[in-house]
Amino acid sequence: MGNLTSISVRNAKPGKHSDGRGLFLFVTDTGAKSWVVRVQVDGRRREYGLGSAALVTLAEARDKAMEVRKQAKAGLDPVYEREKAPRSSLGVRQPRASAVVAP
């Protein structure tokens, strides 16, 4: 189990807060909160953003971090895998053909 709780995430002050096993909550001076997991791939440390704490719960961040760690353990670079994945598989909406205006 991690070090953070949903209450500690909500009340977190600016800085870096560790949940354990490479999962961190970064809080900016403005109060913006984001999840990052740190893994090592081929001897290189990689930080992989999991999303805003306003959109991703602590439980979801832990699940996503576990998936990223599995990729890294399999020898895959999670950052590279995300970049080569088609945007539609990431849940990003593609513009409809009718929404594109022809010149």
Side-chain angles (χ1 to χ4, degrees), residues 22 37-41 44-48 65 68-69 72 78:
V37 63
R38 185 180 290 167
V39 294
Q40 189 165 336
V41 179
R44 292 177 47 197
R45 184 169 48 188
R46 304 291 294 202
E47 290 190 350
Y48 186 91
V68 170
R69 285 191 295 269

Side-chain angles (χ1 to χ4, degrees), residues 87-88 90-96:
R87 287 231 182 251
S88 60
L90 299 175
V92 177
R93 284 187 46 189
Q94 298 295 319
R96 294 181 302 168

Side-chain angles (χ1 to χ4, degrees), residues 1 5 13 20 29 40 46 53-54 56 59 65 81 85 88-89 92 95 98:
M1 198 63 170
T5 64
K13 302 291 183 207
D29 291 335
Q40 189 165 336
R46 304 291 294 202
V56 179
E81 294 299 318
S88 60
S89 70
V92 177
S98 61

Side-chain angles (χ1 to χ4, degrees), residues 74-91:
L76 301 173
D77 183 347
V79 175
Y80 175 75
E81 294 299 318
R82 175 175 58 187
E83 289 172 355
K84 78 174 191 177
R87 287 231 182 251
S88 60
S89 70
L90 299 175

